[in-house]
Amino acid sequence: MPASQNAPKPVDELDPIEARAEHDTLGAEIAEHDRRYYQEDAPAVSDAEYDALRKRYEALEAQYPELKTAESLTRKVGSKVSEKFAKIRHSVPMLSLANGFSDEEVQDFVARIRRFLQLKPEMPLLFVAEPKIDGLSLSLRYEGGRLVSAATRGDGAVGEDVTANARTVKDIPHVLKGKGIPEVCEVRGEVYLSHEDFAAINDRQLAAGKPVFANPRNAAAGSLRQLDSAITATRPLRFFAYAWGQMSAMPSGTQEGMIACFRSFGLKTNPLTRLCASVDEMLEHYHAIETDRANLGYDIDGVVYKVNDLNLQERLGFVSRSPRWALAHKFPAQEAVTVVEDIEINVGRTGSLNPIAKLKPVTVGGVVVSNATLHNEDYIKGIGGNGESIRNGADIRVGDTVVILRAGDVIPKVIDVVLDKRPGDAHPYIFPTVCPACGSHAVREVNPRTGKEDSVRRCTGGLICPAQARERLKHFVSRNAFDIEGLGEQRIEEFYAEGMIQRPQDIFTLETRNARSLQRLENREGWGATSTRNLFAAIAERRNVSLNRFIFALGIPHIGETSARLLARHFGTFEALRETALAAQDHGSEAYAELTSIGGIGKVVADAVVEFFKERHNEDMLDALLKEVTLEPIEAAASDSPVAGKIVVFTGSLEQMTREEAKAMAERLGAKVAGSVSKKTDLVVAGPGAGSKLKKAEEFDVKVLTEDGWFELIGRR
Ligand code: IVH
């Protein structure tokens, strides 16, 4: 679990080092969510969770303004534009909205605006309140009343040209009708799918053996961003107009008037758009929409309030990425009621026994949910742990009717038990005291400092526990650890089950063992000479690994990427860390004092490090592993790398890395990789055979490096 999801310290209690470390991790996490959301149409977290991450990120910057560099995500909207489509630069940027989650935040929003405009209490201030449609925004450009282009939001400045696809959408007129249509009229709004059409699309996908979409928004995005507009035409997308970009003349001076004009031009506008004269009216409309939400037939995720008078909008202007004159009042995350059919225990990487409720499948916001987390033993007992507890304090039993809260694609939670519906024969759940995977004792450790029992029960089997060993291996090869291409979770499961990879070091001896094996990988079903060769090449490529990745890969409890980096930076070599950790078994030692004095490393992390090195089997594993891999100096963090924020173009044939690898490496270091050279390009890395891009680089006087020069620049030589 990323550090940012643990109950975090209040921002004002963080020291600058901790704040910077968290800002880095959070930034990377948010950027990854953005990438999944905007480029893959496959978000991994719910909007509410995303909003919470973003809020924390902003709070860190508010507390430590030096974190708000030009690269800060708070200065960006949306995400990179995919390479699939031609690009369209928005004549007026497509911005985002600030979010609010409570009635109080709406009151503050209105009060802030009144203060900003210096309005006396008796002076009226009108707002338009309308549903926030959960789809994707689209900018339609009409010239002389004719649709000439349609672009997605993209990164806010440049979007994707989806004109051909937009023309297939029934609600988007090819020609505007009526009077007073400005010569240039850019209409902005939301493309979405109705629940009914979404279900039909998924039925068709299933019937065709294709993957189903998680929710209507993803289906709408996937449909609009089709390369073949004939496919888009088979998806009944809809469109609501609610905003505008460039206008050669303004047909109205109010938000409400503009929406009415759009309607008269033949565009669809949302029927739940209301003019409100007070906070009370705004909130009343919000709660009315919230109550009726399930009957609308399409997904909305809140209500947007906008100052009605366009002159006032102009005066209010923008704060970084969103207008000061608007607020998105979001709904709380979605809930559903279902029945717990069973409780299962998964064993995690650190031996934690994680209880999972197996649910009678239920649809929440378009996603079928059949598993929910029950957190830990105390949570099931209704006692609560880690700051979370069941709403009514009840225990959870098999057979119970429960309320679940959906958190996007990640596992939902059980948050309430409907006691009236508890079956007469339901009995309290008995949490296992032995590990279901290996039979070792599972214990709840007592924290020596607080005297409190840990809420998590852990298997004591260590690496003899197959579940732990497997999970550790998965962690070892994961993206932010050894990042071995072609060796994902599935493959680890297979290799583990067959006894071919049991410990991390086995990964690096696999090729030699395979060469001697009677049952060679390349002769197995599903494998061939090429895939086997590729796997061994990917493994060989990772024999050199940075110290921070190596420490992270070990899977020491509580050591995330940030702590691994801090340890790597402090100790410089693995041997130095190991020596100190071994000496630190004596808590009175200087070594222990050194470990706990590292900025950003608390006692919990220090103790975990000491415990890890104390274990004989970990020592053996390290000795074996270090014979196989070579440790390199700490990898530069995105923010302190020499290419952070730079626009880089790779061209020609690269000899030491694949194009994809080069791109991933550059992005990891905080650079942006572009496909073509322009005046904005900072750096061109040219291999042999580079042609027109190299010429262009010379023309624009852009710095050109060889592949070796690149490695030197980023400190890998
Ligand atoms: S107004 C300058 N109105 O929400 C702000 N946006 O979080 C222009 N959205 O990108 C946006 N319904 O995709 C506005 N009624 C509505 C909306 C709405 C949905 C989306 C839109 C925007 C995002 C911002």
Side-chain angles (χ1 to χ4, degrees), residues 95-97 99 130-137 153 189-190 242-243 301 304 306 318 323 325 328:
L95 297 174
S96 186
L97 292 169
N99 292 324
E130 63 199 29
K132 184 169 189 302
I133 318 297
D134 200 4
L136 72 155
S137 45
R153 179 166 75 167
E190 202 85 352
Y242 53 64
D301 58 347
V304 186
K306 299 171 184 171
F318 296 83
W325 44 263

Side-chain angles (χ1 to χ4, degrees), residues 305-323:
Y305 310 116
K306 299 171 184 171
V307 167
N308 190 41
D309 184 327
L310 300 188
N311 284 327
L312 296 183
Q313 283 194 3
E314 175 97 30
R315 275 177 60 196
L316 285 155
F318 296 83
V319 213
S320 69
R321 57 198 271 275
S322 33

